[in-house]
Structure formats: structure tokens, C-alpha cells
Amino acid sequence: MLVQDYTSPGCFDESLIEEGGARPASEALVAYVSPMDIKDVQALQKLADATIARMGVSFTVYSDQGNIDRAWPFDIWPRTIEASEWRQVEKGLAQRLKALNCFIDDVYNERAIFKAGIVPDEVVYSSRNFRPECVGMKPKHQAWANICGTDLVRDASGRFFVLEDNLRVPSGVSYMLENRAVMKQVVPELFENLHIQPIGDYSNRLLSMLSSMSPNEVAVPEVVVLTPGIYNSAYYEHAFLAHEMGAELVEGGDLLVGEDDYVYMRNIEGLKRVDVIYRRIDDEFIDPEAFRDDSTLGVPGLMRAWRAGNVAIANAPGCGVADDKVVYAYVPDMIRFYLNEEPLVSNVPTYLCSREDERAYVLANIEKLVVKPANESGGYGMLVGPHATAEQHHEFRGLIANNPRNYIAQPTLSLSTVPSLCGDAIEPRHVDLRPFILQGANTYVTPGGLTRVAMVKGSLVVNSSQGGGSKDTWIVDTEVDDVI
């Protein structure tokens, strides 16, 4: 049997159990691969790689050697999750984004959570993502973060935890969709025989959500995707989503704000009014009048048009105030405060280095912990204590001492694993999961999400920019009876 000697000691494996059997959601998959040998799996992987190359799926890695476009890294063995388990996670993710949007709205308006003593106001006002320019704004449906990519992990018991929330310009959803397209071409028979929840309607749901945010009374709102351009690492995704939605892909120079404070798009027919902008540019670059005056990526006057209520911007400027790893620690309290509910999906236990007692614990136990800066992404600027050197431990103790507000620490979890093709063998590799949540007039959670996998043995770093790969994620309903 292909996986007869497969083990993942000390970790929860998503597909296989220690006794050599399969978890319920993986039973059909394991039965499918059982008659195969490693060459058969390698042949499927080659077919998947060729499909990715033909489709032109790529991403950009920034390095000292320059910007390198690479084919999207993909592993043929999918991650499977039981649908009955996912339903609870789905509810928890919708709950979480609702509370986060309540918090952002509160921060820029009533500030009730500060007055109640739930979140210290200095935590927010010291965040580099707090935007005074947004005070008093009230986006439609109280939705500031319209698209959220929440990173989930499992611990050794198999329990899901939220690792972090990505609320500014979360990326990766196009790769989730392309992973599914690849698998459907490589193993179509599995999709015929399994009840795998579909994800192909994401682009339609995204367009519907964006349209629901339009401040203008029009039958069909004009939605555009604002990209920084072809040199951005996520440009493939920007172009993909614009194409899938039937929306225009624009750069800052394609838009202008008129004297009437409406946003217009330049085209061959002249000017066309824009109702909704799905922006993929960070706050500080979107409007040189309001933020960085040296930005050539944004649209002069865009914030003026937004504040006038003439255009919707998704995600709204200022929503990054909740996309802070220090603020993350307070999300369970936000859920209780705004929704009067208990969190359905828990945070990873988190130590705030701004608190003297917790900082002392982190400094004394840094070899055991993962230390993260408050606002970095992509796995940069962090320390994985058990895998770091004594010199790195010393360096981070200094960084924490110099700027304690900027650091949190968490225990090193034994992230779950999924069987992966590693050369001439199937071996366990650690994974996380990024589902995508949409909030406008309604809320939608993708069935599954983007599974990112650390392809280096023993590594916990799953980011593609640092050598990670990806897998298709199957939410499998094993309780549905086949109709004959």
C-alpha cells in the first residue's frame, strides 16, 4: 500500500490515522490511491504541473536577485475536511468577521469598547493602521472589511484555532479556485463520485457583495478592481478576479475624481462613473492627497469622494486597524461585547509583550515560542523559537525590549499535516488553511479555502514566498446518501 508506513507523530493528520486507516472524509481518496505506486502519483503530479503551466498560474517572489515569476507551487494530494465539522467553523468565521466590523465601526465612531474598558484605546491609537481620516465614516451595511482571509490551524488534538485575521488586502483566493480547476482536470472521476462542496461560484458572490456596497442608486453598479500594476506579487490574482467578475482592471492613472467628487474611469468613450472600487493597494498609497504625496499608484481625491459617500471602497480605508496581531488578542472579547455570544472558533493563546508580566514570560521562554511583529505579513519578521539560533533569540529579546507594543508571542503548535508528494515518497507536511469570508448585504464563507503547505520537512512556514506550496481543499459531505 502506498501509505502503509506513513506516520505523523505528535500531529493531527488530516487524511490518515495512526492505525493506518483513513479519516471519514478521506476514505474514498485513500481507496483511490491505494492501488497506485509512487510512480503513478508522480505521473499525476506531472499532469497537474503541466496544467498549471498551460493555465499560466503564477506568483511573484521578491528577492535580492530580483523579482521572479514562478509557476504556482501545488501538491497533488488534497486536504479533506468533513462537512459536518466545517459547518461549525463556517459559523465561527462569520461570527468573527461580524464582530471585527462592529469593532472597526466603533473605533471610528462611538468608541464604546474603549469606554467599557474592553480594549485599551492606546492599543488602537498606537497602531500604524489607525487612520484619523476615517473618523466619522459609516460604510454601508456596517461592513468595513468586506473580504477577509482568516488563517486557521489545527493543534495536535485536531481542534481548529484562528491564527490571524487578514483584513486589509487579503490574497490567495484565485489560487484556491485554480487549485480546484487543476484537480478537476487531473482526477475528474473523484468529483463524480464524491460529495465535494463546490467553490466555483465565489466570483459571482464577490461581485454580488461588492455591488451591494454601492452608495449610488443604479441598476447595475460599475465595479472596478484597482491594482498597483504588473509588478505586484498578486497581480495574477487581480487580473483573474477582474476577468471572472467581468469587471474592469484599472490602475490609478485610469481613474480620476471630478469636481463633483465622483470617481470616473477613463475609457475610449470618455469618462464613466465608478460606483465600487475593489482596491488591492494599501491605504497609504491609494490617495496622494490624503496619505503619501509621493504615491503614483493611487487616485488623487479618492478619499474625498469616499467621504462624500459617492463611491464605495472595499476593503474600506482604515479597516487595517483590526488587522493587527495585538488587536487580534482582543477579538474573543469583541465577540462577547458586540454580539453577546461566545466565540465559536478560539484564538491561539497569545502573550502581549506590552504587558509587563507577559513580556517577562516571553523573554524567559523565547526558545519555546513563536514571536510575531504586530503588522508584518507573509511570514516575515517572525521568530520560530524552537527552530531559531541562540543569536536570533538574543536579537528578538532586544527587539521586544525596544518596542514591546510591536510584538506578540504564541506557543508553538504542532500544526496538522497532510500526506504530500516529496520526491519518491509520500510524507507528512504541515499545513494551515485560509478560508475567505465576504460581508456586504449578506455574509458568505468559502467551503474550505486555500490550504498552504510547508514543503520543507519539519518546517512550520507555509507562505509561498518562503518556499511553501498549496493543496486543493475538499469539504466532503459523507452523510449524503447517493441517489440511484
Side-chain angles (χ1 to χ4, degrees):
M1 181 180 174
L2 186 67
V3 293
Q4 63 183 359
D5 297 322
Y6 180 95
T7 59
S8 184
C11 300
F12 178 91
D13 193 82
E14 303 276 344
S15 290
L16 302 169
I17 56 179
E18 291 183 5
E19 294 77 13
R23 298 194 185 280
S26 289
E27 286 178 352
L29 171 65
V30 173
Y32 178 81
V33 301
S34 290
M36 298 181 180
D37 61 24
I38 195 65
K39 291 183 179 179
D40 296 322
V41 180
Q42 290 170 332
L44 290 176
Q45 182 68 58
K46 287 180 181 179
L47 180 56
D49 292 341
T51 303
I52 288 170
R54 186 175 68 252
M55 293 166 62
V57 186
S58 65
F59 75 108
T60 303
V61 175
Y62 298 119
S63 69
D64 294 338
Q65 289 73 44
N67 301 342
I68 305 169
D69 282 327
R70 294 181 178 173
W72 178 244
F74 176 77
D75 184 78
I76 193 65
W77 191 297
R79 177 199 204 141
T80 56
I81 300 172
E82 175 64 50
S84 59
E85 178 185 22
W86 184 251
R87 282 191 284 272
Q88 181 74 359
V89 176
E90 186 177 72
K91 291 176 183 176
L93 293 173
Q95 176 198 57
R96 190 176 182 93
L97 183 55
K98 183 178 181 181
L100 283 164
N101 272 314
C102 289
F103 171 72
I104 301 166
D105 196 67
D106 191 21
V107 162
Y108 291 114
N109 290 281
E110 290 78 14
R111 302 174 181 174
I113 202 164
F114 299 156
K115 298 169 187 175
I118 306 297
V119 177
D121 58 4
E122 65 268 17
V123 167
V124 170
Y125 296 143
S126 63
S127 170
R128 75 182 193 193
N129 292 310
F130 174 72
R131 306 293 179 197
E133 299 85 355
C134 298
V135 171
M137 284 300 293
K138 285 278 188 181
K140 200 171 178 181
H141 308 303
Q142 202 178 22
W144 290 72
N146 307 101
I147 304 102
C148 176
T150 296
D151 291 342
L152 300 176
V153 294
R154 287 194 201 253
D155 67 0
S157 72
R159 181 183 175 191
F160 275 113
F161 289 87
V162 174
L163 187 63
E164 62 182 52
D165 306 287
N166 297 282
L167 302 173
R168 284 171 287 177
V169 282
S171 63
V173 74
S174 63
Y175 300 115
M176 175 193 80
L177 298 171
E178 296 285 40
N179 285 353
R180 178 60 55 86
V182 170
M183 289 298 286
K184 281 188 169 183
Q185 292 193 44
V186 175
V187 287
E189 58 274 25
L190 284 174
F191 289 88
E192 294 173 1
N193 299 322
L194 289 177
H195 297 283
I196 301 169
Q197 292 187 3
I199 57 173
D201 63 344
Y202 175 83
S203 298
N204 289 335
R205 290 182 180 270
L206 175 62
L207 179 60
S208 176
M209 181 278 294
L210 292 170
S211 298
S212 80
M213 296 301 297
S214 174
N216 305 314
E217 295 297 328
V218 291
V220 181
E222 184 68 33
V223 177
V224 302
V225 179
L226 177 60
T227 176
I230 60 173
Y231 297 108
N232 184 268
S233 62
Y235 180 77
Y236 171 85
E237 175 160 293
H238 308 164
F240 175 88
L241 291 174
H243 177 267
E244 290 294 302
M245 289 191 294
E248 293 289 343
L249 180 68
V250 299
E251 297 183 27
D254 298 319
L255 303 178
L256 64 87
V257 176
E259 293 182 359
D260 57 0
D261 286 345
Y262 281 91
V263 178
Y264 295 90
M265 173 174 53
R266 296 182 173 93
N267 60 26
I268 57 174
E269 299 173 355
L271 297 178
K272 187 172 186 179
R273 196 176 76 183
V274 173
D275 301 296
V276 183
I277 298 173
Y278 177 21
R279 56 97 175 214
R280 299 300 296 260
I281 298 176
D282 288 337
D283 281 359
E284 58 188 321
F285 295 103
I286 63 172
D287 182 352
E289 286 186 9
F291 301 115
R292 288 184 52 157
D293 59 9
D294 62 343
S295 173
T296 60
L297 301 176
V299 184
L302 181 57
M303 287 291 290
R304 178 164 31 94
W306 179 65
R307 288 192 61 87
N310 294 332
V311 69
I313 303 175
N315 288 345
C319 72
V321 73
D323 190 356
D324 180 309
K325 294 179 179 65
V326 175
V327 172
Y328 157 92
Y330 294 95
V331 175
D333 292 328
M334 293 177 199
I335 293 171
R336 298 182 185 102
F337 181 72
Y338 294 115
L339 308 183
N340 195 28
E341 299 171 357
E342 284 300 309
L344 297 176
V345 184
S346 298
N347 275 16
V348 175
T350 301
Y351 303 99
L352 299 179
C353 293
S354 56
R355 295 173 176 167
E356 186 175 353
D357 56 337
E358 295 183 23
R359 180 169 67 251
Y361 176 82
V362 171
L363 294 174
N365 295 274
I366 200 165
E367 297 88 351
K368 306 173 186 176
L369 301 171
V370 176
V371 180
K372 300 177 181 178
N375 289 292
E376 291 291 341
S377 60
Y380 293 103
M382 62 186 285
L383 174 85
V384 181
H387 298 169
T389 64
E391 289 81 5
Q392 290 169 323
H393 295 153
H394 178 73
E395 176 191 359
F396 267 76
R397 285 191 177 97
L399 291 171
I400 292 169
N402 289 333
N403 188 4
R405 159 63 176 85
N406 193 48
Y407 290 93
I408 67 163
Q410 296 169 330
T412 307
L413 298 181
S414 298
L415 300 187
S416 63
T417 57
V418 177
S420 305
L421 178 61
C422 303
D424 294 327
I426 300 294
E427 298 179 357
R429 290 293 184 267
H430 294 293
V431 294
D432 76 352
L433 178 64
R434 178 174 290 182
F436 295 87
I437 308 99
L438 304 179
Q439 186 177 332
N442 300 296
T443 300
Y444 168 73
V445 181
T446 55
L450 177 64
T451 287
R452 301 183 299 177
V453 52
M455 292 309 296
V456 176
K457 187 174 183 178
S459 174
L460 301 176
V461 180
V462 299
N463 307 82
S464 57
S465 58
Q466 300 195 46
S470 71
K471 292 173 174 287
D472 193 11
T473 307
W474 295 357
I475 304 300
V476 182
D477 195 340
T478 62
E479 298 176 352
V480 175
D481 293 327
D482 290 317
V483 178
I484 300 176

